Amino acid sequence: MTPPTFGSRAAVARALLILAERFAELPVPHITVFAETAQLSFQLESPVEFEAWREALGVPTASVRWVGHANGGWLKTETVFAGVTVELSGHGIAEEAS
């Protein structure tokens, strides 16, 4: 089996560049690049930032999931942009007192 070349990862770089140009006014996410699986992960600091990206990418509200843990949780969804999977997660959600 031939190992992948650097050029074979161009789709991820291209998608990231297009996102940066098209949505330059949106909040800056923490970005993780998974070139081997053609995936980008955008972690947003708040639900407001998450919602701005979700709306800009045209991701349906119904596809948003809640991921809970002991002290709260985060919002999560994914979509495909320019042939690359983009995962969004919105953090900064504390557990409400009962």
Side-chain angles (χ1 to χ4, degrees):
M1 177 178 199
T2 305
T5 64
F6 188 55
S8 70
R9 308 308 192 212
V12 176
R14 190 176 307 110
L16 187 55
L17 179 60
I18 294 168
L19 286 163
E21 290 173 340
R22 190 173 296 172
F23 304 116
E25 75 287 351
L26 290 180
V28 176
H30 172 78
I31 301 169
T32 304
V33 177
F34 299 95
E36 60 280 350
T37 58
Q39 182 175 342
L40 295 167
S41 175
F42 282 18
Q43 293 181 353
L44 291 310
E45 295 292 322
S46 72
V48 171
E49 292 180 5
F50 173 87
E51 184 60 18
W53 274 99
R54 185 204 60 76
E55 188 175 295
L57 292 172
V59 179
T61 305
S63 73
V64 175
R65 299 177 309 280
W66 168 254
V67 180
H69 63 80
N71 297 317
W74 60 90
L75 302 171
K76 185 174 182 177
T77 193
E78 64 182 44
T79 191
V80 175
F81 181 86
V84 173
T85 299
V86 179
E87 178 185 90
L88 301 176
S89 60
H91 299 267
I93 305 170
E95 179 181 37
E96 290 187 23
S98 328

